[in-house]
Amino acid sequence: MTRQQFVHPDEIRARFSSAMSDMYQAEVPLYGALLQLVAEINYHSIEKSPELARHLRQTGEIDRLNMERHGAIRVGTAAELATLRRLFAVMGMIPVGYYDLAPAGVPVHSTAFRAIHETSLQICPFRVFTSLLRLELIAQPELRKQAADILAKRNIFTPQAIALIVQHETAGGLTEHEAAEFITQALETFRWHNQATVSAEVYQQLHDSHRLIADVVAFKGPHINHLTPRTLDIDAVQTAMPAHNITPKAVIEGPPPRHCPILLRQTSFKALEEKVAFVSTDGQIVHGHHTARFGEIEQRGAALTAKGRNLYDRLLQAAQDELQVPANENNAAQYRAILSKQFDQFPDNFSAMRSEKLAFFRYFPTEKSLNIAAASVQEFTLDELISAGFIQYEPLVYEDFLPVSAAGIFQSNLGDKGQSHFTGHSSQQDFQRDLGTEVIDELQLYEETQQRSLAACAQALKLASLSL
Ligand code: OOG
Ligand code: NI
């Protein structure tokens, strides 16, 4: 069989993402309502703002907007995480970034599986925030052992999914028929099961230790716990949610509203209370409930450089320090005011963000550049080429996550008022050992995309090279 007959991983990812969205819509109808609301508001945002429309067309984001989403899952063992890495690799999804949630009181550490090249991201930007439970953070040794024993007994992958992962690894790809079967089989891992694998008593013990531990340990597999569409106007969706019977959390996570959006702003609706069946040791079924699955929306903005990110982290921390208590329903308006005031210090135009090297950009040759004699611009710097109208730039969209926001999303859904942080030291090395590979540094990826766009400009203008 020749390579040409393999379905491209980008195509498998696009189909899988769409199949997962269909499954989640059937499982959580409110997600369907949210999708519709987001699509309507995106449509109006584009109609209302020719500038936004032009920007989205220039970057190509307009074509990926309606299929853009991320999901989140939580696994219990190193073996589960390592096999997930192989499963996502079939779809061209590689672990990017390390997120330590323990300091925020969530006993997990995480990565995001996603495509890494701008061409692949353009075909399908689907990402999955994937967390590994840190059992060592369970304080009671007996419960810790019991949780580990329960997890050791489960298998979260179908035999056919494993066989197709191996087929992909040995043959170098999947045929049309195999890819279709892979999507069906892989989806099984993320399906919701309303039957718990433990008794109501064990569930309660796990739940008392931390709600998240019950969510990971007491079920057959890592059910997808939310799928998040991308909105162009998160404030408009947040305001419109209650009229659609969707109750959002009080505060939007991330930066304040800005003319030039940066990083990521997110809000979610509370997890649903769902009926589950527990099995007691004598085989009796006991009915109960579990809250795990919720809905979330996000607005994505410019990817920041290390310098920009430091400024963001500092201003966010300053806003939290000034508020003194965690943001909630009662102080939401005050928090918004404080946050906006702090972020006055973050330039809100792309020209300043570029000259101060706060964000990453993608450079495009303009129409004008196609008609000039190369010799006439040989001596121009990048800034001069921009001023003379030969090159345009657009911010690179942030493709990743924010640990403080992620913790806020976890917390609002866990309703966890107890433990506010874990002290056990966490380590990217341990995570990578369990994952079976190193995670990619996201800043490196943005740097490379920026660099490739400069190289393309140099080529269009017939220049030997072009640098920042
Ligand atoms: C993941 C929470 C993090 C985000 O968008 O930051 C997340 C989870 O609840 O499992 O999805
Ligand atoms: Ni999320």
Side-chain angles (χ1 to χ4, degrees):
M1 177 131 325
T2 61
R3 275 194 131 261
Q4 282 75 353
Q5 281 166 291
F6 291 147
V7 182
H8 197 284
D10 292 344
E11 180 60 32
I12 304 181
R13 179 173 69 259
R15 291 188 206 167
F16 180 81
S17 164
S18 163
M20 187 172 246
S21 182
D22 291 346
M23 180 175 86
Y24 200 59
Q25 255 179 93
E27 289 181 351
V28 180
L30 217 47
Y31 164 68
L34 195 60
L35 274 187
Q36 213 171 343
L37 179 60
V38 167
E40 272 166 36
I41 290 181
N42 282 352
Y43 178 82
H44 290 302
S45 304
I46 293 172
E47 224 182 25
K48 218 167 51 198
S49 167
E51 194 201 332
L52 178 65
R54 189 200 56 72
H55 157 77
L56 294 171
R57 267 197 295 274
Q58 169 81 302
T59 61
E61 281 166 78
I62 200 147
D63 298 318
R64 58 179 242 191
L65 194 61
N66 283 336
M67 61 167 162
E68 183 150 358
R69 60 184 77 90
H70 82 252
I73 53 171
R74 306 150 182 172
V75 293
T77 67
E80 290 176 354
L81 182 67
T83 307
L84 273 180
R85 168 179 58 77
R86 296 167 59 206
L87 180 144
F88 284 126
V90 176
M91 303 185 254
M93 297 165 82
I94 321 281
V96 178
Y98 172 73
Y99 304 89
D100 179 14
L101 281 299
V106 186
V108 303
H109 47 182
S110 320
T111 190
F113 287 95
R114 68 166 176 92
I116 58 172
H117 193 286
E118 58 275 17
T119 315
S120 295
L121 287 161
Q122 180 61 26
I123 293 169
C124 175
F126 182 54
R127 346 169 155 76
V128 179
F129 192 90
T130 302
S131 301
L132 174 65
L133 183 62
R134 296 180 56 203
L135 279 182
E136 73 274 19
L137 296 179
I138 298 184
Q140 313 89 312
E142 265 161 49
L143 189 63
R144 196 185 316 142
K145 175 155 186 342
Q146 190 174 21
D149 290 347
I150 296 167
L151 287 169
K153 283 200 209 97
R154 77 177 185 182
N155 182 357
I156 65 172
F157 303 99
T158 69
Q160 295 97 318
I162 299 289
L164 287 161
I165 292 170
V166 172
Q167 173 66 14
H168 163 85
E169 289 169 346
T170 49
L174 297 182
T175 63
E176 187 64 44
H177 174 74
E178 289 164 348
E181 185 59 14
F182 171 80
I183 291 169
T184 306
Q185 295 296 332
L187 216 48
E188 288 306 306
T189 296
F190 307 105
R191 190 181 289 289
W192 169 247
H193 299 276
N194 54 16
Q195 175 132 13
T197 55
V198 301
S199 68
E201 293 72 40
V202 172
Y203 175 87
Q204 201 53 48
Q205 284 165 9
L206 295 166
H207 189 277
D208 290 347
S209 174
H210 197 294
R211 276 165 81 155
L212 191 89
I213 296 172
D215 184 56
V216 177
V217 177
F219 294 90
K220 208 173 147 195
H223 38 258
I224 180 95
N225 67 54
H226 65 282
L227 268 186
T228 303
R230 176 174 169 192
T231 170
L232 297 172
D233 187 345
I234 198 166
D235 300 291
V237 183
Q238 172 99 348
T239 309
M241 276 159 87
H244 290 75
N245 294 321
I246 311 173
T247 312
K249 69 194 276 297
V251 174
I252 294 176
E253 300 287 343
R258 292 164 47 91
H259 178 63
C260 299
I262 52 171
L263 297 173
L264 185 58
R265 300 181 69 214
Q266 300 178 304
T267 185
S268 59
F269 65 74
K270 294 249 155 65
L272 315 166
E273 189 167 284
E274 298 176 281
K275 290 201 174 82
V276 292
F278 299 105
V279 242
S280 60
T281 30
D282 58 6
Q284 290 271 342
I285 299 288
V286 178
H287 294 286
H289 52 78
H290 177 66
T291 50
R293 299 183 310 153
F294 60 99
E296 182 192 43
I297 51 167
E298 65 190 7
Q299 181 170 0
R300 290 189 172 261
L304 301 185
T305 60
K307 182 183 174 198
R309 180 54 188 269
N310 284 339
L311 180 58
Y312 168 80
D313 286 335
R314 191 161 63 69
L315 298 177
L316 187 72
Q317 188 59 51
Q320 282 166 353
D321 291 349
E322 191 175 335
L323 190 69
Q324 290 177 345
V325 291
N328 58 38
E329 301 85 65
N330 305 322
N331 58 25
Q334 189 195 1
Y335 178 67
R336 279 196 292 271
I338 292 174
L339 192 65
S340 290
K341 189 192 71 188
Q342 287 293 347
F343 273 79
D344 281 348
Q345 293 174 62
F346 203 116
D348 196 6
N349 66 79
F350 290 130
S351 170
M353 283 161 65
R354 199 183 78 82
S355 61
E356 293 179 35
K357 294 194 166 38
L358 294 169
F360 290 105
F361 292 88
R362 189 154 151 197
Y363 296 88
F364 302 86
T366 61
E367 297 249 319
K368 191 177 167 187
S369 72
L370 303 176
N371 307 317
I372 50 152
S376 65
V377 293
Q378 275 308 319
E379 303 300 317
F380 279 36
T381 63
L382 176 61
D383 288 354
E384 287 163 350
L385 288 167
I386 291 169
S387 312
F390 294 120
I391 289 181
Q392 272 177 358
Y393 58 88
E394 293 284 347
L396 279 183
V397 61
Y398 188 58
E399 305 285 353
D400 295 287
F401 294 86
L402 296 169
V404 175
S405 299
I409 299 281
F410 265 111
Q411 295 296 9
S412 74
N413 281 293
L414 295 168
D416 193 41
K417 301 274 183 289
Q419 184 131 23
S420 63
H421 67 278
F422 287 97
T423 44
H425 91 285
S426 43
S427 127
Q428 183 166 345
Q429 270 67 41
D430 290 355
F431 184 79
Q432 295 182 151
R433 180 203 58 216
D434 293 349
L435 179 66
T437 188
E438 289 190 355
V439 298
I440 297 183
D441 169 19
E442 65 276 17
L443 294 184
Q444 187 62 38
L445 296 175
Y446 298 117
E447 186 82 52
E448 285 166 12
T449 298
Q450 178 170 270
Q451 208 48 49
R452 277 191 287 266
S453 77
L454 282 171
C457 288
Q459 199 178 17
L461 287 157
K462 303 191 183 59
L463 305 172
S465 70
L466 201 51
S467 54
L468 284 183

